[in-house]
Amino acid sequence: MTDPVYQTEALLAEDIDAYLVAHQHKTMLRFITCGSVDDGKSTLIGRLLYDSKMIFEDQLAALEADSKRVGTQGGEIDFALLVDGLAAEREQGITIDVAYRFFATEKRKFIVADTPGHEQYTRNMVTGASTTDLAVILIDARKGVLTQTRRHSYLVHLLGVRHLVLAVNKMDLVGYDQQVFDSIVADYTDFARSIGIDSFVPIPISGLAGDNITSRSANTPWFEGPTLLAHLEEIEVDSGADQAQPFRMPVQWVNRPNLDFRGFSGFVASGAIRPGEAVRVLPSGKTSRVARIVSLEGDRDLAVAGESVTLTLADEIDCSRGQVIVAAQSPLEVADQFETTLVWMDEAEMVPGRAYWLKIGAQTVSATVHQPKYEVNVNTQEHLAAKTLDLNAIGVANVTTDREIPFAPYAENRDLGGFILIDKITNQTVAAGMIHFALRRAQNIHWQATDIGRDHHAGMKHQKPAVLWLTGLSGSGKSTIANIVEKKLARMNRHTFLLDGDNVRHGLNKDLGFTEADRIENIRRVGEVAKLMTDAGLIVITAFISPFRSERDMVRGMMQPGEFIEVFIDTPLEVAEARDVKGLYAKARAGQLKNFTGIDSPYEAPENAEIRIDTSRMTPEEAAEVIVERLVP
Amino acid sequence: MTQKTLTHLQRLEAESIHIMREVVAEAENPVMLYSIGKDSAVMLHLARKAFYPAPPPFPLLHVDTTWKFRDMYALRGKAAEQAGMELLVYQNPEALARGINPFDHGPLHTDMWKTEGLKQALDLHNFDVAFGGARRDEEKSRAKERVFSFRSANHRWDPKTQRPELWRLYNARKAKGESVRVFPISNWTELDIWQYIHLEGIEIVPLYFAAPRPTVERDGLILMVDDDRFPLREGEVPQMRSVRFRTLGCYPLTGAVESTATELPQVIQEMLLTTTSERQGRAIDRDQAASMEKKKQEGYF
């Protein structure tokens, strides 16, 4: 029995220079192992590290001590302890996050993403799979294809992992029975076809006993396929396929050390480029040629997918971070509305209509997510109706960005079709997304240019348009104050319009209720109307509870800089509730009114409002005076 | 179609450079923590590649303890100058005033000079992102560390609030006062580091190569008597031994290994044939298996 891992040792001892030359030309494979708690996943990884001599004696001594103390193998070496990292997890006996392990053979360096198999941790598996070329799906030979197996397979397929290994583990516990193996493979084949997996490589193994891991097992003479490690060493890595695609490089950073040099730095997402070749910058569409590929070691004559490079162009054209340099003859699509698959990763559920940051390539834009078309049951792959997505849910939803972005469908390119969503307030990464296709090409929709512009409208009225956005609890006095403000401005011959929360709900927004999503849509529409009115030159006064910070910020973002004036009508809840002009607080307290701000729905007070009105110290008249003073000094 | 197979080192290099550029594009005031060791040397070399022909657009920061090897201090200024970068050196004034040292103060030495010193230096300069040369293969708790590791306003690391990192997309957004430690060489192993140093001809501290050095053996570690601050115990006489170091830190806390490897290929050969892991020469990790995780939560790198 020859062991591929140990062959290198002779060379290592005899001729270190030859060894180094050989090892500098190793390739790299990233893979993920997926299995449930008891499938022996950690044991398998521990075994790979152990067999490839990545465990040193002192670590082994610690491992032996730990195995006796908390091990599950009756004092024998518990390989799982090698890979269970954080203290809290070790005590619980499960891994709860993504850990990365490293080992190398004479042919390859491997990076293993180790992710837990628990149901609630879809997030971790998706994270781990996003960077891998191959997935090892572990099955307990005694249990066969389980719900978890289906879930793991669906997830790695969803993330576009092209190579799949079905490792039927614990063969020692079923007497190395070929029939058991064959029937599991048959079951899995049916399932794999049903979700679009074309091919996979099944291998019977035992992580604990070491069968078919690094060396062929005498216990499975009926098995003719490769050992797990041999397969991992032989499989073709994806970079070749990426290089065959047209050239695409998102510009990460513009290198401008002095006036004579302007380089565009980025990670080549696909294809290859040489000096002299024609390129196009998207979304602007400007074209030029690559002048140089600059590096510390001197100019290069080729850059390929997977490299971080710096290019200079022959012409001085505008190009900044987030734009994409592509082969001139095969441009990318540019759009601002997409159908996507979203994997929700945050404790706080998705809020349709809310604006999130969307990061794709080297670009971050503002984007709104629409109500999901459906949610996918990850266990059965059934489509379910859904109004939102919560932690670990996967669904298909449309996403609209606030500007055009160059992209490729995720199935074609991970770098140009994968994105994350970031909450604008907490800054947390709340979702991972994969673009299917553009819903409409943005370049086909033109903004109708009008001859009489907003400056003209405002000029005729001799005023500067503005939005006075009054926010505060129900009963805080917003409408009362807004009304006085408008009267005062009218007396000063200012052209105004008052948009009141209750009134708008009788017409424009009468289809909306009071759920979080409906409240956001309510504010979005009011924002759009207010924007049109400022274009018409008006001073708009609004009186809406507008409880969420992110929606107020969204409206602020719609307006010209300086035109949005946030006015916080600051009245303590007890005071507003005591007034209870419309009797709403009483109803809410009695449970007759759901989602009432301040009672069972939060009010997020402004942090940097332009004006704060403390109603405990001011009459409505005085408050109005303060606001008008700020607008017309 | 042109095809070019990228080696594992080329792919690691491309990833590290991508991470560094991402930080420079998104951070307000980044800094690179520079410890003068081999990992720092590789990180610095990668930074020069990432931003060439510009010098790396951030300063180097060495959080000093006054107890590093003399050879390390000698390389420090030279490396910064070659890269065309500003070098900031910070020494915790309280530790300096109280004469904190590894001989008399035990764990307090690391805590005050390094953990506290680092926090003070970051606060002093208002750095919002700090590059560090930590690798995931060094220690079990680091295997789960993110590339972008978030710290609260008081520099604490909370394993539960770290963000998922998908594809090559790093979310660097943060609230005021929060900071990020970024580890661009997370996915490199010790062997990768050595191979890269060899391949790229990166200058490293001579202590990594074997030479006759004055040493004493104490508590199972071979310690180098690097200057006359080393308090010899009764009966201890420094002996010349041919030794080298696998990691470098404060000289009284860093164990040497006996070796005759004076060239890099021999060092790599010894490393591959050896049977003890890299951190074993460091006194800091010995207490208990989870000690690094505790240190990290407190703000140690």
Side-chain angles (χ1 to χ4, degrees), chain A residues 234-388:
Chain A
E234 296 302 329
I235 193 110
E236 197 203 334
V237 286
D238 286 346
S239 63
D242 289 341
Q243 283 179 38
Q245 301 287 317
F247 177 75
R248 279 96 174 71
M249 185 190 90
V251 175
Q252 236 192 320
W253 188 66
V254 179
N255 191 341
R256 191 113 218 232
N258 55 56
L259 290 175
D260 301 327
F261 187 89
R262 199 158 68 118
F264 304 101
S265 299
F267 186 93
V268 182
S270 73
I273 197 85
R274 291 177 181 279
E277 288 180 338
V279 290
R280 188 184 297 269
V281 176
L282 295 174
S284 75
K286 300 256 170 47
T287 56
S288 183
R289 287 181 181 280
V290 171
R292 299 166 56 197
I293 302 170
V294 181
S295 86
L296 181 65
E297 296 85 10
D299 283 7
R300 297 167 46 181
D301 62 0
L302 174 70
V304 300
E307 292 186 300
S308 283
V309 298
T310 298
L311 309 177
T312 64
L313 301 182
D315 307 281
E316 281 231 357
I317 55 174
D318 273 348
C319 182
S320 55
R321 174 168 163 87
Q323 301 194 315
V324 184
I325 299 178
V326 304
Q329 75 282 7
S330 48
L332 278 174
E333 237 184 299
V334 173
D336 62 1
Q337 210 176 87
F338 311 92
E339 185 187 273
T340 69
T341 293
L342 293 175
V343 182
W344 205 255
M345 300 192 155
D346 199 46
E347 303 281 346
E349 66 178 22
M350 170 218 271
V351 183
R354 171 166 291 177
Y356 295 95
W357 294 119
L358 180 151
K359 185 168 184 183
I360 181 168
Q363 188 167 31
T364 304
V365 298
S366 190
T368 38
V369 182
H370 300 247
Q371 185 172 312
K373 295 178 178 176
Y374 56 85
E375 182 181 337
V376 179
N377 178 327
V378 287
N379 294 328
T380 61
Q381 290 76 51
E382 284 172 306
H383 295 183
L384 312 167
K387 294 210 152 178
T388 179

Side-chain angles (χ1 to χ4, degrees), chain A residues 323-506:
Chain A
Q323 301 194 315
V324 184
I325 299 178
V326 304
Q329 75 282 7
S330 48
L332 278 174
E333 237 184 299
V334 173
D336 62 1
Q337 210 176 87
F338 311 92
E339 185 187 273
T340 69
T341 293
L342 293 175
V343 182
W344 205 255
M345 300 192 155
D346 199 46
E347 303 281 346
E349 66 178 22
M350 170 218 271
V351 183
R354 171 166 291 177
Y356 295 95
W357 294 119
L358 180 151
K359 185 168 184 183
I360 181 168
Q363 188 167 31
T364 304
V365 298
S366 190
T368 38
V369 182
H370 300 247
Q371 185 172 312
K373 295 178 178 176
Y374 56 85
E375 182 181 337
V376 179
N377 178 327
V378 287
N379 294 328
T380 61
Q381 290 76 51
E382 284 172 306
H383 295 183
L384 312 167
K387 294 210 152 178
T388 179
L389 297 174
D390 51 20
L391 180 62
N392 290 312
I394 296 177
V396 169
N398 291 348
V399 170
T400 306
T401 53
D402 70 346
R403 74 194 77 161
E404 301 172 7
I405 53 173
F407 76 98
Y410 182 79
E412 279 175 28
N413 190 294
R414 287 182 178 186
D415 286 304
L416 298 165
F419 62 88
I420 54 172
L421 293 179
I422 301 166
D423 186 284
K424 288 191 172 185
I425 304 294
T426 67
N427 291 321
Q428 281 297 319
T429 300
V430 295
M434 288 151 281
I435 295 179
H436 300 172
F437 48 78
L439 288 169
R440 55 183 165 90
R441 286 170 187 247
Q443 58 255 46
N444 294 338
I445 300 185
H446 297 282
W447 185 258
Q448 187 61 45
T450 47
D451 291 332
I452 306 293
R454 68 190 323 273
D455 291 345
H456 189 94
H457 292 138
M460 285 173 71
K461 298 181 179 66
H462 307 290
Q463 66 185 28
K464 206 176 145 302
V467 177
L468 288 166
W469 188 275
L470 276 58
T471 170
L473 294 170
S474 175
S476 60
K478 293 181 301 297
S479 296
T480 309
I481 295 171
N483 198 35
I484 304 173
V485 168
E486 188 172 36
K487 280 197 280 187
K488 282 181 184 288
L489 288 170
R491 264 183 247 128
M492 297 161 81
N493 284 323
R494 294 299 197 275
H495 296 252
T496 59
F497 196 90
L498 174 58
L499 286 165
D500 183 81
D502 285 349
N503 297 354
V504 167
R505 281 186 178 276
H506 285 122

Side-chain angles (χ1 to χ4, degrees), chain B residues 90-109:
Chain B
Y90 186 85
Q91 298 172 343
N92 178 354
E94 195 193 343
L96 197 63
R98 288 173 57 186
I100 300 297
N101 68 75
F103 298 106
D104 303 323
H105 301 105
L108 192 64
H109 171 77

Side-chain angles (χ1 to χ4, degrees), chain A residues 30 57 89 109 243 359, chain B residues 4 15 144 192 275:
Chain A
R30 287 172 175 252
E57 242 172 41
E89 299 170 30
K109 167 178 170 134
Q243 283 179 38
K359 185 168 184 183
Chain B
K4 175 180 170 185
E15 178 185 73
K144 306 192 176 194
D192 297 331
T275 52

